[in-house]
Amino acid sequence: MHAQPVDVHGKPYNRTIMIVLILVATFAGVLMQTSLGTAIPTLMDAFDINLATAQQATTWFLLANGIMIPVSAYFTSRIPTKWLYLIAFGLLWAGMAITAFTPEQHDMWWMFLSGRVLAALGVGISMPLMQVVMVNIFPAEQRGVAMGLGGLVVGMAPAIGPTLSGWILDKNHVILGLTISDSWRSIFYLPMAVLAIVFILSFFFMKDVLYTHDVKLDVLSLIYSIIGFGSFLLGFTNVGSDGWGDVKTVIAPIVIGIIFIAIFIVRQLHLTDPFLNVRVFMNKQFTITTIAVMMAMMAMMGVEMMLPTYLQNIHNLSALTSGLILLPGALMMGIMSPIAGMAYDKVGARRLALVGFGLLAIGTVPFMFLTADTPIHFITALYTARMFGVAMVMMPLTASAMSALPAAEANHATASNNTARQLASAVVVALLTSITQNIITNNKPSDALRTANPLSYGAKMIDASMDGFQVSFFIGFLFAAIGLVIALFLRKGKIIADETTDEMTKEN
């Protein structure tokens, strides 16, 4: 029987209730990343804005979230766990409320975006903090299960977001006796209610489980981090709309971001108490595992990002229907994440990564040959199989990365791992969007054909679109194949870092 867990003050606490509160609240927050995807047309009508402006609802959320993740390591080291979670939950709830109650006026769009940024700051704290807490409150032999539970949040919430919002916008619903209207505001009401309950309960059940120390804030590191990561992510975010040739909005921000990130890294290496300890990458196992996580993320996004567009543009499906088609895959990842975590505790990450990347690569091959007539149920089955592979890779690799370092370094390791994942997502989204759009543009029929022969124009336009989608899916396959090769360099068995030294032990 395991001993009663105690917090940093030596007082016992209920670990189960605390974990449930963390998972539920973080799920509600991560849900906000993608929940407005299917609401973009509704927002365009409500605020009288164009598509590019409406997309800022997601863009600015991801930007603020990406900037906050590197900063989270400092907050975790400085602020007691209970109060840091209360701050994160408070920011998230306040951001949701500001967004939900923004007046539907063109000149009030700034208020909507302000709420999105505020919510993103909360998620940027709570998501990496969740992983640090999991590493510290579970013993090393149960760390896989802990990270698997975290996978329910990291994996399922973004995938369910579009489906949930599409369902809400489809028609009125009655939940627990309350009528949820089909307004875009309703997307925020349910998460706000859940988060309010969690916030109140956190005063009683959230405990200080991470040791803090009086670390001085290095203002220059904070400035370099915000400018570097913010500018880099902004440049890649603009690629989809402006293309790679735009110096002002794409190339310049990316170059500026790289320069400031380099300056940031050099400064961290010379600080006695760094803002973000990039020395964690000197641990070979952590670095290899983090690169493998990036490949898994890019392979997953290679299909996940383009598939809804394929379903809507080629099969003429609604946003809700396309979201429902992908829902089994999201559920599969949610089911398999804890199971993969338990498997990691027994066999380590290498075997699971080889199997997962293998399934991911094999499951991606058929997507390279999709046509306009491919049956929907076949696409659902393929996508579900891919998400099975992603679950076999993502959580075991994340647990392995965290286990490769002592628990005392978990806050820096988590921030570094999540930052790398965020950068990988931004790069692959920009890469695939630009490549797909360029192929479609170069292969689409002439405008003259639209007037002369509309049917032929439509058929050729579908062919041009399919060429773009197929190349995008092929790139997703390449990332899975690269991940498979990288997995060969992972150490066999389960890796557990010595808590008193930098050495690692290996089980199995």
Side-chain angles (χ1 to χ4, degrees):
M1 181 180 294
H2 294 290
Q4 173 76 25
V6 295
D7 62 17
V8 298
H9 309 294
K11 297 180 180 179
Y13 68 96
N14 191 312
R15 185 172 65 185
T16 301
I17 294 179
M18 180 173 168
I19 290 300
V20 170
L21 292 178
I22 290 173
L23 291 177
V24 170
T26 309
F27 187 95
V30 178
L31 195 68
M32 291 295 100
Q33 287 185 354
T34 57
S35 60
L36 291 182
T38 50
I40 293 299
T42 305
L43 294 176
M44 292 170 62
D45 292 337
F47 289 90
D48 189 24
I49 53 179
N50 59 28
L51 177 61
T53 303
Q55 287 286 4
Q56 293 175 355
T58 299
T59 301
W60 284 100
F61 186 99
L62 294 176
L63 278 173
N65 186 242
I67 291 171
M68 181 55 63
I69 288 175
V71 184
S72 66
Y74 168 78
F75 289 135
T76 304
S77 301
R78 187 70 179 82
I79 304 174
T81 313
K82 177 178 180 177
W83 289 106
L84 186 54
Y85 260 122
L86 288 172
I87 291 171
F89 295 162
L91 286 172
L92 178 56
W93 192 91
M96 289 182 186
I98 291 173
T99 303
F101 298 115
T102 299
E104 290 187 351
Q105 300 172 16
H106 181 79
D107 58 354
M108 295 302 292
W109 181 244
W110 65 269
M111 180 176 172
F112 187 98
L113 293 181
S114 298
R116 292 291 287 168
V117 169
L118 201 61
L121 297 181
V123 176
I125 296 173
S126 62
M127 186 172 67
L129 180 59
M130 174 191 69
Q131 294 178 319
V132 179
V133 168
M134 291 292 196
V135 169
N136 279 269
I137 68 176
F138 283 90
E141 63 272 13
Q142 297 179 6
R143 202 161 286 165
V145 175
M147 299 309 295
L149 291 173
L152 290 170
V153 170
V154 178
M156 282 188 68
I160 289 178
T163 305
L164 179 61
S165 59
W167 174 74
I168 290 175
L169 292 171
D170 186 49
K171 55 184 177 180
N172 290 348
H173 304 278
V174 178
I175 301 177
L176 300 178
L178 299 175
T179 300
I180 306 297
S181 70
D182 57 357
S183 166
W184 59 267
R185 302 180 190 277
S186 300
I187 296 173
F188 301 96
Y189 291 158
L190 188 59
M192 284 173 61
V194 171
L195 196 60
I197 295 172
V198 170
F199 185 81
I200 295 172
L201 293 177
S202 293
F203 278 96
F204 305 98
F205 296 103
M206 197 68 67
K207 303 298 178 181
D208 298 330
V209 294
L210 303 176
Y211 288 97
T212 59
H213 59 284
D214 190 14
V215 56
K216 183 180 178 181
L217 174 63
D218 185 58
V219 178
L220 275 179
S221 292
L222 175 62
I223 294 173
Y224 293 154
S225 172
I226 292 175
I227 295 176
F229 292 106
S231 182
F232 184 83
L233 290 170
L234 177 62
F236 274 97
T237 300
N238 290 335
V239 170
S241 58
D242 300 338
W244 286 102
D246 196 307
V247 175
K248 184 177 179 180
T249 63
V250 176
I251 297 177
I254 291 176
V255 172
I256 292 172
I258 292 174
I259 292 173
F260 274 89
I261 289 173
I263 295 173
F264 172 80
I265 291 173
V266 171
R267 182 169 181 81
Q268 303 318 295
L269 293 174
H270 287 84
L271 289 175
T272 304
D273 200 353
F275 181 80
L276 178 64
N277 189 4
V278 295
R279 291 187 181 91
V280 294
F281 286 105
M282 296 176 68
N283 183 302
K284 180 181 177 182
Q285 190 66 21
F286 175 83
T287 301
I288 292 175
T289 308
T290 299
I291 294 174
V293 168
M294 293 173 69
M295 291 301 106
M297 178 64 67
M298 295 172 90
M300 180 180 72
M301 295 294 288
V303 170
E304 186 170 295
M305 184 194 73
M306 302 307 301
L307 197 54
T309 306
Y310 159 81
L311 291 170
Q312 293 177 42
N313 290 0
I314 304 301
H315 287 271
N316 295 317
L317 300 178
S318 67
L320 173 60
T321 303
S322 62
L324 290 173
I325 289 171
L326 304 184
L327 184 59
L331 296 177
M332 174 61 74
M333 187 168 182
I335 293 170
M336 285 305 302
S337 288
I339 296 175
M342 289 187 285
Y344 165 78
D345 286 331
K346 296 183 180 298
V347 302
R350 188 174 186 268
R351 295 181 190 174
L352 294 174
L354 289 172
V355 173
F357 274 120
L359 288 173
L360 192 53
I362 294 172
T364 306
V365 171
F367 280 96
M368 295 155 50
F369 302 97
L370 291 184
T371 68
D373 301 317
T374 303
I376 297 301
H377 64 270
F378 180 66
I379 296 173
T380 301
L382 286 177
Y383 182 75
T384 303
R386 286 188 87 257
M387 296 307 284
F388 182 94
V390 171
M392 292 286 285
V393 170
M394 197 67 76
M395 286 308 105
L397 284 177
T398 303
S400 181
M402 297 302 101
S403 298
L405 295 163
E409 298 180 19
N411 56 340
H412 292 284
T414 300
S416 298
N417 188 273
N418 278 284
T419 300
R421 184 184 303 180
Q422 191 85 357
L423 293 177
S425 298
V427 170
V428 76
V429 167
L431 180 67
L432 296 182
T433 300
S434 60
I435 289 177
T436 303
Q437 187 59 57
N438 286 339
I439 291 175
I440 293 175
T441 301
N442 293 333
N443 293 330
K444 70 178 183 179
S446 64
D447 290 336
L449 183 63
R450 180 186 302 183
T451 304
N453 192 335
L455 291 178
S456 178
Y457 177 87
K460 290 183 180 296
M461 192 64 200
I462 289 178
D463 291 340
S465 298
M466 287 308 309
D467 289 340
F469 291 132
Q470 288 168 355
V471 171
S472 175
F473 297 148
F474 172 71
I475 294 174
F477 165 79
L478 289 181
F479 286 127
I482 294 172
L484 185 60
V485 174
I486 294 174
L488 294 172
F489 293 92
L490 294 171
R491 290 179 62 179
K492 295 181 179 179
K494 182 181 176 182
I495 306 301
I496 301 178
D498 190 304
E499 299 300 320
T500 58
T501 70
D502 290 332
E503 296 179 356
M504 291 185 295
T505 59
K506 182 181 71 174
E507 291 188 354
N508 298 332

